[in-house]
Amino acid sequence: MNHLLDGRAVDAEAARNGNSQSIRAKLSLEKRALLWALFLGAASLGGALLIASPIQKLSTWPFFNGASSSGIAVSPQLLAQGAGFFAQSCGDCHGDDGHGDEGPGLHNLAISDARIASQIKNGTKGEMPSFAKKYNDPEIASLAAYVRALR
């Protein structure tokens, strides 16, 4: 019979004799690999669900209507507003024309409009700041429309 003491699995008889084995020594390599695979799989699924939720919420914004090929109802005013926000907040890293500088180029992106908006809103740790506090949802949608229009 095994007992868990201070993070170690100890066989009751081995403990009486003064011998103990760590759980690492008791588990075969295959079992440890399986446990790691299960853990990493669960972590990956959890991460995917955390990412999908904000994208799903963004796709319900009034600017995302699914009628156009880009998914954003684009007007000249919306693009002009997005261009102004881009010049103010994005040009330093992505270049004034969006071809990239410190950050990647943004022309002809192969991701959805909702993903573009999510990236602007949430950023990427260590790579791109979040603009959720600087811009509200309609302003982020205008930025996303401008980025989508970069060709």
Side-chain angles (χ1 to χ4, degrees):
M1 173 149 79
N2 290 334
H3 299 281
L4 188 60
L5 299 174
D6 298 324
R8 297 180 301 153
V10 180
D11 185 71
E13 189 169 329
R16 282 188 290 256
N17 296 332
N19 300 326
S20 65
Q21 287 182 297
S22 70
I23 193 168
R24 183 177 214 161
K26 285 184 167 221
L27 290 178
S28 69
L29 180 61
E30 294 84 12
K31 287 181 183 176
R32 283 187 279 158
L34 179 61
L35 288 173
W36 272 109
L38 290 172
F39 171 74
L40 293 174
S44 296
L45 179 60
L49 292 174
L50 287 174
I51 291 171
S53 179
I55 292 174
Q56 186 178 20
K57 288 178 186 172
L58 291 173
S59 65
T60 62
W61 288 356
F63 294 103
F64 293 94
N65 62 12
S68 69
S69 62
S70 70
I72 298 176
V74 180
S75 69
Q77 296 82 9
L78 185 71
L79 289 176
Q81 182 185 33
F85 294 145
F86 186 90
Q88 181 181 3
S89 299
C90 309
D92 289 342
C93 293
H94 295 286
D96 293 336
D97 58 1
H99 277 101
D101 192 6
E102 292 175 30
L106 301 175
H107 286 253
N108 300 313
L109 291 176
I111 58 175
S112 70
D113 299 321
R115 181 71 184 115
I116 293 171
S118 176
Q119 183 67 31
I120 294 167
K121 185 172 186 169
N122 301 314
T124 301
K125 187 175 182 179
E127 295 180 20
M128 179 177 155
S130 165
F131 288 96
K133 292 182 180 177
K134 186 170 186 174
Y135 298 116
N136 61 33
D137 288 350
E139 292 169 336
I140 290 173
S142 71
L143 255 169
Y146 177 75
V147 169
R148 173 58 71 205
L150 294 174
R151 302 273 179 210

